Amino acid sequence: QVQLVESGGGLVQPGGSLRLSCAASGRFFSFNAMAWYRQVPGKQRELVATITSVGMTNYADSVKGRFAISRDNAKRTVYLQMDSLKPEDTAVYYCWANQITNLISYDYWGQGTQVTVSS
């Protein structure tokens, strides 16, 4: 059973920074892509940033230049550095990971961590 556990969320003032972490545990060899999503109540979950197994990254236009995704495969952890935070970044942030085993694709989700940007 693979588990993803996020941490690092909290309350921060506009213009501030937070670093989210997502640690994976359980029996698996390695993840393919990993990503961060976010969701506001009443809205669909939104893709924030992705990173491939070789470190290629992609970002939503709304966070380009402010957020940075990275991963440490040895620690089985993916990070999201969030700078210059805005009130509209307020959301529950979810970690996602994909694993392909025997040509079967598996998706895993964390439980989410709340990020609130407010003065």
Side-chain angles (χ1 to χ4, degrees):
Q1 185 79 9
V2 176
Q3 286 189 322
L4 302 178
V5 178
E6 300 102 333
S7 61
L11 173 65
V12 64
Q13 291 187 343
S17 297
L18 281 176
R19 189 193 195 205
L20 305 183
S21 299
C22 173
S25 62
R27 285 192 168 189
F28 65 96
F29 178 63
S30 64
F31 289 127
N32 181 24
M34 302 184 78
W36 287 94
Y37 286 75
R38 65 187 180 186
Q39 189 169 23
V40 176
K43 293 190 175 182
Q44 282 192 331
R45 195 167 291 189
E46 173 192 24
L47 177 62
V48 176
T50 61
I51 185 166
T52 69
S53 60
V54 294
M56 293 180 65
T57 59
N58 195 29
Y59 298 91
D61 288 342
S62 59
V63 306
K64 278 181 181 177
R66 301 186 299 119
F67 290 11
I69 188 171
S70 61
R71 64 193 283 177
D72 185 332
N73 291 329
K75 294 182 178 179
R76 298 181 168 184
T77 301
V78 63
Y79 305 96
L80 185 68
Q81 177 66 40
M82 305 185 294
D83 298 321
S84 302
L85 282 161
K86 304 175 181 180
E88 51 263 43
D89 295 318
T90 296
V92 177
Y93 282 72
Y94 297 90
C95 174
W96 168 88
N98 173 260
Q99 178 188 12
I100 298 176
T101 303
N102 296 326
L103 301 181
I104 300 174
S105 180
Y106 300 89
D107 289 338
Y108 302 100
W109 290 92
Q111 81 289 350
T113 184
Q114 177 71 46
V115 171
T116 302
V117 184
S118 175
S119 54

